[in-house]
Amino acid sequence: MNQLIRKAGEAALRLLYPNTCPLCGRVTEREVCPDCAREVRPLREPLCKKCGKPIGSDQEEFCRDCSRTRHYFDEGRALWLHRKQAAWSIYQFKFHNRRIYAGFYASEMARTYGGYIRKRGISLIVPIPLGRKKRRSRGFNQAEILAEKLSGKVQIPLDADHLVRWRDTKPQKSLDPTARRENVRGIFRWTGRSLSGQKVLLIDDIYTTGSTLDSASRTLKKAGAEKVYFLTISIGQGY
């Protein structure tokens, strides 16, 4: 009898709150709808050896940006290109409080990059912090929620407290690459213990030019980190 009641309750919940695809918002019986499962696939080689952006051929090593820019992070990867369903999903996650999507993103990261994380000996996961104004208006830090979920899935410690953004900045999307780098120069501080010997994985939502991740990586290396890697949900193809 109890089992029948539980099943009836679950059926009623499915009617009231049907599962929706985290990549397009359509109702689906699966975790991801068939169209998105077919169209939104993890990035595959050839990829830039630095930032993980798609490149033209196996004969190339770096994307145009990484071939002419000094990055402070050692290497990084993203799940998808920042376009169509992926861009829509991240927008809902950040600006429409779809925090529930973090579990899906973290599962995809663990499935796609679990081996990558283990091979690089990651010992600590750190999310990119938001500025105070953004945190106050949004009510949460999307990178922190994602990092927390990923930490649980790959069983690597999380530190979401000691990398701090000590001043607010202009929105990066309104700036060109040079201005982006200047905008985030020196904005982070590490307030925890020495990171000597640690291999740190930074988590953020989108990689565009890498300016924010560079600034954070530089701070972590000054605090003693041996290597700094990153994972993001999506990555742009520009620059």
Side-chain angles (χ1 to χ4, degrees):
M1 180 64 72
N2 288 337
Q3 188 175 10
L4 288 174
I5 293 172
R6 179 175 58 79
K7 287 183 177 179
E10 290 173 353
L13 284 173
R14 284 195 295 271
L15 286 172
L16 288 170
Y17 305 103
N19 182 64
T20 58
C21 175
L23 290 167
C24 70
R26 287 182 291 184
V27 174
T28 178
E29 294 181 357
R30 305 177 186 179
E31 183 180 35
V32 175
C33 77
D35 287 345
C36 289
R38 183 172 57 253
E39 294 175 22
V40 184
R41 307 303 295 266
L43 296 174
R44 293 287 183 258
E45 297 288 351
L47 301 173
C48 173
K49 295 185 183 302
K50 195 72 171 177
C51 73
K53 198 174 292 182
I55 52 179
S57 75
D58 291 324
Q59 305 305 312
E60 302 175 51
E61 289 193 343
F62 303 106
C63 67
R64 187 166 66 96
D65 172 56
C66 290
S67 66
R68 61 184 184 177
T69 303
R70 178 189 179 187
H71 289 301
Y72 288 92
F73 57 78
D74 290 276
E75 192 179 83
R77 292 292 183 267
L79 279 175
W80 309 300
L81 283 177
H82 190 72
R83 64 182 185 184
K84 298 181 179 179
Q85 293 101 320
W88 178 90
S89 180
I90 294 171
Y91 186 85
Q92 301 303 314
F93 177 46
K94 291 172 66 172
F95 302 113
H96 290 279
N97 202 21
R98 297 297 290 168
R99 305 185 202 191
I100 193 171
Y101 290 175
F104 167 67
Y105 301 143
S107 293
E108 290 298 295
M109 283 182 168
R111 183 175 64 83
T112 305
Y113 291 116
Y116 176 95
I117 290 170
R118 288 190 295 273
K119 285 179 182 178
R120 280 148 186 80
I122 302 298
S123 53
L124 186 67
I125 294 176
V126 176
I128 293 290
L130 279 181
R132 286 173 294 179
K133 288 181 180 178
K134 281 187 179 179
R135 180 78 185 235
R136 193 161 51 243
S137 64
R138 197 172 297 170
F140 66 100
N141 176 7
Q142 71 278 358
E144 183 177 331
I145 294 173
L146 175 57
E148 182 179 355
K149 296 288 186 182
L150 182 62
S151 171
K153 291 183 182 298
V154 298
Q155 295 296 292
I156 293 174
L158 169 75
D159 190 319
D161 298 319
H162 295 112
L163 181 65
V164 297
R165 188 184 295 239
W166 66 273
R167 62 177 171 84
D168 292 313
T169 56
K170 297 177 183 177
Q172 288 284 81
K173 63 183 179 182
S174 64
L175 305 173
D176 63 35
T178 301
R180 284 173 184 246
R181 286 190 287 273
E182 288 302 316
N183 189 44
V184 296
R185 189 184 299 277
I187 64 167
F188 296 111
R189 289 177 180 167
W190 179 255
T191 62
R193 294 180 179 178
S194 169
L195 293 172
S196 179
Q198 296 255 36
K199 295 179 180 178
V200 181
L201 180 67
L202 281 168
I203 299 295
D204 205 1
D205 53 354
I206 306 168
Y207 180 105
T208 306
T209 63
S211 300
T212 302
L213 287 160
D214 266 332
S215 186
S217 298
R218 189 175 189 180
T219 297
L220 295 177
K221 287 192 170 181
K222 284 183 177 179
E226 179 183 341
K227 298 278 187 180
V228 179
Y229 301 92
F230 75 81
L231 280 181
T232 60
I233 305 168
S234 69
I235 191 167
Q237 276 192 290
Y239 309 101

